[in-house]
Amino acid sequence: MLWALVLLPLLGAALSWLVPDNRRRVWVLPVFSLAHLAVSAGLLVHTPPPSPAGWIWLDSLGKLVLMANSVLFTICSLYAVGYLSYRLKRPNRILCASLLVCLSATSLVVISQHLGLLWIALEATTLTMAPLIYFNHNARSIEATWKYLLICSVGIAIALLGLFFLAYSTIVAKQEVSLLLPALIRDAAALHPGWRHAAFIFLLVGFGSKMGLAPLHTWKPDAYGEAPGLVGALLAGGLVNCALLALLRVYQVAAASTEGALFQQVLLTMGLVSMAFAAVFMARQSDFKRMLAYSSVEHVGIIAVALGLGKGALFAGLLHMINNSLTKGVLFLACGNIHRAFNSKSTQFVRGALRRTPWSAALFLAAFLAITGSPPFAPFVSEFLIVSSAFGQGNHWTGGLFLLFLALIFIGMASTVLPVVLGEVPPDLERTRYRDAVPTVLPPLVLMGLVLVLGLWIPTPLQDLLRDAARLLGGEA
């Protein structure tokens, strides 16, 4: 049954490749993503046992990422039907097939209990995203695609070296040679300390570059800025989760060894550095899609801070991963609509969006408030829990810097978002044929509703799942 998560999207990709018509092909996306969501929901309730060799299983961490990614992908695929109706002149065969192959690869990431298999799946997500970033076929998109491929490939290659070092540490220590997660956790304390230490550093750098932790984030502004809105949503809300899951697997091994505290300290530092980078580069951004890239750097930093703090902050960090996925989905889809309506993403030309695209602009404004940690939205809850944990542990410097960076980012992001949304549309600006309509507004509206609901009430099953996942990382119940 777990393999259905991988095979079902591949079947959809093959079917979308065979459908000859642009209009009909796009409907393959929601059909198979809804089927994938239904299978995912069934597996969350009735999880089968691990595969005989132990390579495939869905534990609590995998369930969280699967749930977030499947919901986000379904919403984006529904949005794609409306979005691509405005882009019928551009062939969408590669886009539809690549999206479904990417869904298959992300599903393989969440069910992999073997770090080598996880690495292959993560590399597959990198490759399948490249043609999606290049969808607009212009000079800037090809530059963004190459930068994305080069930096992420170097990062993932460094992670592969880290895996080799980890495997070699088992040989030197005369332990069972394996990259299976349960075996590595069991033998972590007995592994050769030198090779184990090198492995953790390489894996942190490799998976950190895929996540976009500063200063390894340089591919993000171009990729997020040039990719279509729905691709940006999946990059910021879906693929980031896959890279984070890979990092969490390493975190599990580090926590079982004698180097857990050092690993946490490095994560805490990288998290604060990421937030500081975001605070500096967010100010006065003239491209509102590039601004979202720095917002993504900020939020992977927030999650890294939570992992660095450990204990009760782990629950909050995992909750923030879900909140970030949903809210980034709203931001990118609403941005995509505004971009189409103004045929520009520069704040020099995009003003008064509430008058031209009232629904999309209102969603953009609401999502801005949510992602900057304003109540009553879900990110407020997770960020409040993280900063409370920092002060509760006596880590006042971390808590103080965390709040300072949040305040600076709010001011910087507001200086871009508010002029885009408010004011008057420039009188000499050309009119486009995009208008807010149900197919392009309802999907982000549903996501925004989820962000609001999770800010007011976290369902008990989700709380239990978050606690189970936090326990796997050594967190408190």
Side-chain angles (χ1 to χ4, degrees):
M1 189 65 176
L2 287 172
W3 281 108
L5 291 172
V6 179
L7 298 177
L8 196 60
L10 287 180
L11 178 64
L15 185 61
S16 70
W17 191 266
L18 295 174
V19 174
D21 183 64
N22 264 2
R23 289 180 184 275
R24 293 179 181 173
R25 184 183 303 116
V26 71
W27 283 100
V28 176
L29 284 174
V31 169
F32 278 86
S33 61
L34 283 167
H36 184 274
L37 182 62
V39 172
S40 301
L43 289 171
L44 291 179
V45 178
H46 301 291
T47 308
S51 64
W55 285 43
I56 300 297
W57 190 47
L58 188 61
D59 61 6
S60 300
L61 286 169
K63 286 179 182 177
L64 281 177
V65 176
L66 176 66
M67 183 174 61
N69 285 3
S70 193
V71 168
L72 181 64
F73 192 93
T74 302
I75 294 291
C76 286
S77 67
L78 291 167
Y79 171 85
V81 175
Y83 170 79
L84 291 175
S85 68
Y86 288 94
R87 313 292 304 272
L88 284 176
K89 291 182 180 178
R90 190 170 294 285
N92 59 34
R93 174 177 277 121
I94 293 176
L95 182 135
C96 293
S98 295
L99 280 172
L100 287 164
V101 174
C102 185
L103 178 62
S104 172
T106 59
S107 301
L108 185 56
V109 169
V110 302
I111 62 174
S112 294
Q113 291 288 307
H114 188 281
L115 296 189
L117 183 62
L118 185 151
W119 183 90
I120 292 170
L122 202 59
E123 175 66 2
T125 64
T126 302
L127 297 176
T128 53
M129 268 292 163
L132 302 179
I133 297 171
Y134 183 54
F135 179 70
N136 288 319
H137 288 203
N138 55 37
R140 296 185 68 174
S141 65
I142 195 168
E143 181 186 345
T145 305
W146 277 115
K147 188 179 283 189
Y148 163 79
L149 273 176
L150 279 173
I151 297 175
C152 287
S153 296
V154 169
I156 209 79
I158 291 173
L160 181 61
L161 277 177
L163 290 182
F164 288 159
F165 292 163
L166 197 57
Y168 191 66
S169 70
T170 64
I171 296 173
V172 176
K174 301 186 186 312
Q175 301 292 320
E176 177 190 356
V177 182
S178 173
L179 286 177
L180 275 173
L181 190 62
L184 286 171
I185 293 173
R186 184 193 63 215
D187 300 333
L191 300 181
H192 186 274
W195 287 106
R196 184 183 62 198
H197 189 72
F200 288 158
I201 292 173
F202 275 68
L203 288 167
L204 180 57
V205 171
F207 293 141
S209 65
K210 177 81 174 172
M211 272 178 70
L213 280 168
L216 312 166
H217 67 286
T218 49
W219 61 272
K220 276 192 168 182
D222 290 297
Y224 287 17
E226 299 308 319
L230 72 100
V231 177
L234 293 172
L235 278 168
L239 263 66
V240 161
N241 291 349
C242 292
L244 173 63
L245 181 60
L247 193 64
L248 293 179
R249 298 307 189 195
V250 182
Y251 189 100
Q252 287 180 270
V253 180
S257 72
T258 56
E259 299 187 64
L262 175 64
F263 198 75
Q264 284 183 312
Q265 195 60 45
V266 174
L267 276 174
L268 185 62
T269 305
M270 290 184 76
L272 289 173
V273 168
S274 297
M275 294 182 72
F277 262 78
V280 171
F281 287 97
M282 192 85 79
R284 304 187 68 80
Q285 271 292 326
S286 59
D287 183 327
F288 56 83
K289 288 181 76 176
R290 287 177 71 90
M291 175 199 69
L292 296 184
Y294 291 108
S295 174
S296 178
V297 174
E298 174 208 356
H299 286 275
V300 295
I302 289 174
I303 295 170
V305 168
L307 295 175
L309 289 169
K311 300 179 182 175
L314 293 172
F315 176 96
L318 295 171
L319 176 62
H320 196 74
M321 175 189 73
I322 295 173
N323 296 340
N324 177 57
S325 290
L326 301 177
T327 315
K328 281 295 189 307
V330 183
L331 281 166
F332 274 96
L333 298 185
C335 263
N337 293 344
I338 295 172
H339 185 190
R340 293 260 67 80
F342 287 80
N343 201 25
S344 174
K345 49 194 175 71
S346 168
T347 53
Q348 182 182 353
F349 304 105
V350 183
R351 291 178 178 272
L354 269 173
R355 296 183 181 276
R356 183 169 281 192
T357 54
W359 282 95
S360 297
L363 284 168
F364 189 43
L365 185 60
F368 150 69
L369 293 172
I371 205 67
T372 50
S374 305
F377 300 107
F380 167 76
V381 177
S382 47
E383 290 177 8
F384 178 78
L385 290 174
I386 293 169
V387 78
S388 297
S389 181
F391 285 118
Q393 294 178 31
N395 205 334
H396 301 293
W397 272 104
T398 298
L401 288 172
F402 190 91
L403 291 175
L404 173 65
F405 293 145
L406 286 185
L408 292 174
I409 288 165
F410 180 89
I411 294 168
M413 204 166 173
S415 68
T416 299
V417 172
L418 295 181
V420 166
V421 172
L422 304 175
E424 297 291 335
V425 179
D428 55 344
L429 195 69
E430 64 170 324
R431 295 196 67 84
T432 65
R433 69 186 185 92
Y434 176 83
R435 297 290 182 275
D436 274 345
V438 171
T440 52
V441 168
L442 187 59
L445 186 62
V446 170
L447 280 179
M448 197 67 236
L450 290 174
V451 173
L452 178 59
V453 168
L454 285 178
L456 300 172
W457 170 65
I458 303 175
T460 303
L462 178 57
Q463 290 187 41
D464 293 340
L465 187 57
L466 287 164
R467 288 194 186 96
D468 288 343
R471 284 193 198 99
L472 290 179
L473 300 172
E476 297 170 349

